[in-house]
Amino acid sequence: MTDSQTNPPQVPTPRTDAGPTQSPVLDAGTYVGIREPRGAGRLALDGQWHQISPRYVTSQFVQNAIFIAVVVIAALVLSLVLHQTWAWIPAGVIVVITLITMIVLPRQAKAIGYMLRTDDIVFRKGILWQRMIAVPYGRMQLVDITHGPLDRAFGVSQLKMVTAAATTGVQIPGLSQAAAEALRDTLIEVAETRRTGL
């Protein structure tokens, strides 16, 4: 066996005839099996869904825990130092909403996915309020990777695709750094190919 057979390429490369090829990098360390609504009215597509990293949920838990701590400390300062006991009402509401968000977050994360098709990338999220966005490769103007300090600590990034129409911009959270970079390079290369064909 040759080296190319034993060590397949890890970065997806574009195909001008049928869209980008698939890559093991995009599925390394991600959820397996996207969570979809079960009703007859659900939106369904044929193809392979790629999902986000479970480390995204951990990162969001830590960020929300820090936010709750800041809210509680602020309420303590207002009530004990300034004798403003009313501060516990908005603080309690904020904490409860944040805790509900944290409870729902793992299910939401499993419903986030993207699919590389021949002419576009499809992004989906949500169970009750399902949203699907298809972004044509030739319409992409910017592909950007962002990650804050906690995201870097957990090794996750957010990839943002911007098109001429602001409403079709897509942000894919919770990608591993390697997957974000591989996806960015693929999208840029395929977008250039599609634009030259317009």
Side-chain angles (χ1 to χ4, degrees), residues 16-80:
T16 56
D17 58 336
T21 58
Q22 305 304 317
S23 167
V25 173
L26 300 181
D27 296 317
T30 63
Y31 288 113
V32 179
I34 194 162
R35 180 179 285 278
E36 293 191 81
R38 297 182 185 151
R42 70 184 178 93
L43 300 172
L45 292 175
D46 292 331
Q48 179 186 358
W49 287 107
H50 302 282
Q51 292 183 263
I52 64 173
S53 171
R55 290 178 293 180
Y56 168 73
V57 174
T58 308
S59 170
Q60 291 299 304
F61 276 165
V62 171
Q63 292 180 48
N64 285 329
I66 292 171
F67 176 69
I68 288 172
V70 169
V71 169
V72 170
I73 290 169
L76 275 171
V77 169
L78 285 171
S79 64
L80 297 178

Side-chain angles (χ1 to χ4, degrees), residues 101-165:
T101 302
M102 291 171 72
I103 291 169
V104 176
L105 184 62
R107 289 176 60 91
Q108 287 179 334
K110 291 177 184 176
I112 296 173
Y114 60 95
M115 181 188 296
L116 298 169
R117 301 196 304 176
T118 303
D119 296 314
D120 56 20
I121 179 172
V122 178
F123 172 73
R124 63 143 298 158
K125 66 178 182 176
I127 298 291
L128 292 177
W129 289 274
Q130 187 179 171
R131 184 178 186 197
M132 265 194 205
I133 304 171
V135 181
Y137 297 126
R139 300 294 180 189
M140 288 183 197
Q141 295 184 335
L142 174 70
V143 181
D144 182 31
I145 297 175
T146 59
H147 41 80
L150 277 175
D151 291 335
R152 282 195 300 275
F154 288 97
V156 293
S157 303
Q158 175 176 277
L159 186 135
K160 181 178 181 180
M161 294 167 278
V162 179
T163 65

Side-chain angles (χ1 to χ4, degrees), residues 3 13 24 28 31 48 59 75 84-85 96 100 106 109 111 143 164 182 189:
D3 283 343
T13 54
Y31 288 113
Q48 179 186 358
S59 170
Q84 303 292 325
T85 55
V96 168
I100 291 171
V143 181
E189 194 168 349

